[in-house]
């Protein structure tokens, strides 16, 4: 699942795709504490971080992700082959902001969008389609990865790739860690995407981070402190995980709120 790259790209595409549809939102899943058995937390800090992502691959958790112009939340429920993501991209006071809700159930998917801000009216068709989930025709989305859900890649931030890129780490408290990572080695992480890494230039080799694990050694928070570089301001990027083994299946949108996605929507997600 790719999250961070959707924000700016979709906002830009929305203004240039004729007849684009709109509207989205959703509430985050409440946190709970799963008591399933887990191995002892490794004493070595690097090994502890590497082991902390194993539970994510089982595909049963809730998450939040944020930083820069994007915030998001959602959940994954592999037993029902379902997932959902709610994202908000802030275009600033002079631009256009977007909320998006993506729902995946087995081979079916739906997307709901809403554009706001001074330039929202520039999105063709937004008012007419507001409040509707657009059902995705999988035959039209075969080459559009962002409109499909891959059970082999359930991590919204690519935390395993982040852990493998850690070059220095120390334990700072019970379940708490801090150190640096080499961002140039984080291929496969959507928290630190290619554009962010490129902008860091020579600072990419030692990016500070903090991490928190629960009592069972599972990752519950990972935050990267991206330094300022060139014209880019410093920013904190973070992901949290909760409800391991305790989330419920994602529900299909109400039938009276669903329409078939237009060709313009597919074009937007290809951008």
């Amino acid at each position: 699942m790719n999250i961070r790259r959707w924000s700016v790209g979709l906002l830009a595409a929305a203004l240039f795709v004729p007849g684009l549809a709109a509207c989205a939102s959703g509430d985050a899943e409440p946190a709970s504490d799963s008591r399933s058995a887990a191995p002892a937390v490794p004493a070595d800090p690097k090994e502890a971080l590497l082991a902390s992502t194993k539970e994510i691959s089982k595909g049963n958790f809730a998450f939040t992700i944020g930083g820069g112009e994007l915030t998001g939340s959602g959940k994954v429920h592999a037993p029902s082959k379902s997932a959902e993501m709610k994202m908000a991209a802030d275009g600033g006071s002079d631009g256009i902001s977007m909320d998006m809700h993506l729902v995946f159930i087995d081979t079916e998917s739906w997307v709901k969008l809403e554009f706001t801000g001074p330039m929202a009216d520039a999105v063709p068709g937004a008012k007419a389609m507001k409040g509707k989930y657009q059902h995705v025709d999988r035959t039209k989305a075969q080459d559009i990865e962002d409109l499909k859900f891959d059970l082999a890649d359930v991590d919204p931030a690519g935390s395993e790739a982040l852990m493998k890129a850690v070059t220095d780490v120390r334990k700072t408290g019970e379940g708490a860690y801090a150190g640096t990572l080499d961002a140039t080695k984080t291929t496969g992480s959507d928290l630190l995407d290619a554009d962010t890494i490129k902008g860091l230039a020579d600072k990419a080799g030692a990016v500070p981070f903090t991490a928190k694990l629960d009592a069972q050694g599972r990752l519950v928070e990972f935050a990267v402190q991206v330094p300022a570089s060139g014209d880019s301001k410093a920013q904190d990027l973070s992901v949290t995980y909760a409800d391991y083994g305790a989330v419920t299946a994602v529900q299909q949108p109400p039938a009276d709120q669903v329409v078939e996605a237009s060709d313009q929507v597919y074009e937007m997600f290809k951008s």
Side-chain angles (χ1 to χ4, degrees):
M1 296 191 297
N2 299 302
I3 292 184
R4 290 193 56 77
R5 64 182 171 146
W6 286 338
S7 56
V8 176
L10 282 177
L11 286 177
L15 295 174
F16 297 103
V17 177
L20 182 65
C23 199
S25 185
D27 298 323
E29 191 77 9
S32 68
D33 181 21
S34 174
R35 301 290 182 178
S36 59
V41 180
D44 179 77
K46 178 67 178 289
E47 291 301 319
L49 292 183
L50 288 172
S52 72
T53 65
K54 292 181 179 179
E55 192 72 15
I56 297 172
S57 65
K58 295 180 180 180
N60 194 317
F61 59 86
F63 68 88
T64 68
I65 190 168
E69 76 288 344
L70 176 69
T71 58
S73 65
K75 65 179 180 179
V76 178
H77 188 254
S80 63
K81 298 182 180 180
S82 66
E84 68 176 334
M85 291 171 280
K86 304 114 176 181
M87 289 157 279
D90 185 0
S93 59
D94 296 327
I96 179 172
S97 297
M98 177 184 69
D99 289 333
M100 176 164 61
H101 186 188
L102 280 161
V103 176
F104 304 98
I105 301 177
D106 200 359
T107 59
E108 301 295 325
S109 56
W110 298 260
V111 60
K112 188 181 182 188
L113 300 166
E114 180 174 1
F115 298 95
T116 56
M119 294 181 62
D121 290 342
V123 179
K127 291 183 178 179
M129 297 297 292
K130 186 174 182 178
K132 298 295 184 180
Y133 283 90
Q134 297 181 74
H135 176 251
V136 175
D137 182 343
R138 59 182 174 177
T139 64
K140 295 181 179 180
Q142 291 179 348
D143 299 321
I144 307 177
E145 294 301 320
D146 294 342
L147 289 176
K148 296 183 289 184
F149 176 57
D150 184 2
L151 278 171
D153 181 20
V154 298
D155 189 351
S159 293
E160 182 179 6
L162 292 169
M163 300 311 181
K164 291 180 178 179
V166 168
T167 54
D168 176 66
V169 59
R170 64 190 184 281
K171 189 172 183 179
T172 59
E174 189 63 35
Y177 301 83
T180 56
L181 59 83
D182 184 348
T184 65
K185 297 180 180 179
T186 59
T187 302
S189 170
D190 296 314
L191 190 66
L192 275 175
D193 59 21
D195 289 339
T196 301
I197 295 170
K198 183 178 180 180
L200 287 173
D202 58 354
K203 296 182 180 180
V207 179
F209 76 87
T210 57
K212 294 180 181 179
L213 313 186
D214 64 12
Q216 294 173 266
R218 302 171 300 191
L219 184 66
V220 293
E221 181 180 319
F222 194 88
V224 182
Q225 294 79 50
V226 179
S229 181
D231 296 331
S232 299
K233 297 180 180 179
Q235 59 177 330
D236 290 342
L237 307 178
S238 64
V239 58
T240 68
Y241 300 91
D243 295 356
Y244 283 112
V247 302
T248 56
V250 176
Q251 299 301 304
Q252 182 173 320
D256 61 355
Q257 297 179 26
V258 174
V259 296
E260 289 300 315
S262 66
D263 290 340
Q264 289 79 11
V265 172
Y266 302 106
E267 290 301 318
M268 181 188 71
F269 277 86
K270 290 179 182 178
S271 301

